[in-house]
Amino acid sequence: YRKLFPAINIFFPDIIKEQNRELRGTQRAITRDRAALEKQEKQLELEIKKMAKTGNKEACKVLAKQLVQLRKQKNRTYAVSSKVTSMSTQTKVMNSQMKMAGAMSTTAK
């Protein structure tokens, strides 16, 4: 592998480190977004309760629709988070396979 692609071998570990750094950053951003959505969800629930106490049915309907959309968005963040985790795992597996292939080729020589 090293003889065939010497230039790639030099940059490959750097590429993997950069991808891992970006994936971790993305994961943190998703977590922050989810926390903000949960905060908004709690605020909406409180507003719905206030409107229900005052008897404002129309406002409750509008807020309830917003709450449903917010919960859907929060569920999407869980799906995206799992995909990012999967990508991170695949990158680590590819890296370990490349290292194993290098070790095998050295051993074979």
Side-chain angles (χ1 to χ4, degrees), residues 8 10-21 91:
I8 293 175
I10 294 169
F11 299 110
F12 194 69
D14 294 335
I15 292 170
I16 291 174
K17 285 181 184 178
E18 181 66 28
Q19 285 179 345
N20 283 336
R21 187 178 307 121
T91 304

Side-chain angles (χ1 to χ4, degrees), residues 17-35:
K17 285 181 184 178
E18 181 66 28
Q19 285 179 345
N20 283 336
R21 187 178 307 121
E22 288 179 16
L23 289 172
R24 284 193 308 269
T26 302
Q27 193 73 284
R28 284 192 302 272
I30 292 169
T31 304
R32 280 193 301 269
D33 290 344
R34 188 178 310 129

Side-chain angles (χ1 to χ4, degrees), residues 44-64:
L44 273 175
E45 288 173 353
L46 290 174
E47 287 183 42
I48 290 171
K49 288 178 184 179
K50 282 182 188 177
M51 293 297 162
K53 283 183 182 179
T54 60
N56 194 346
K57 209 171 192 180
E58 289 299 316
C60 285
K61 282 184 183 180
V62 171
L63 291 174

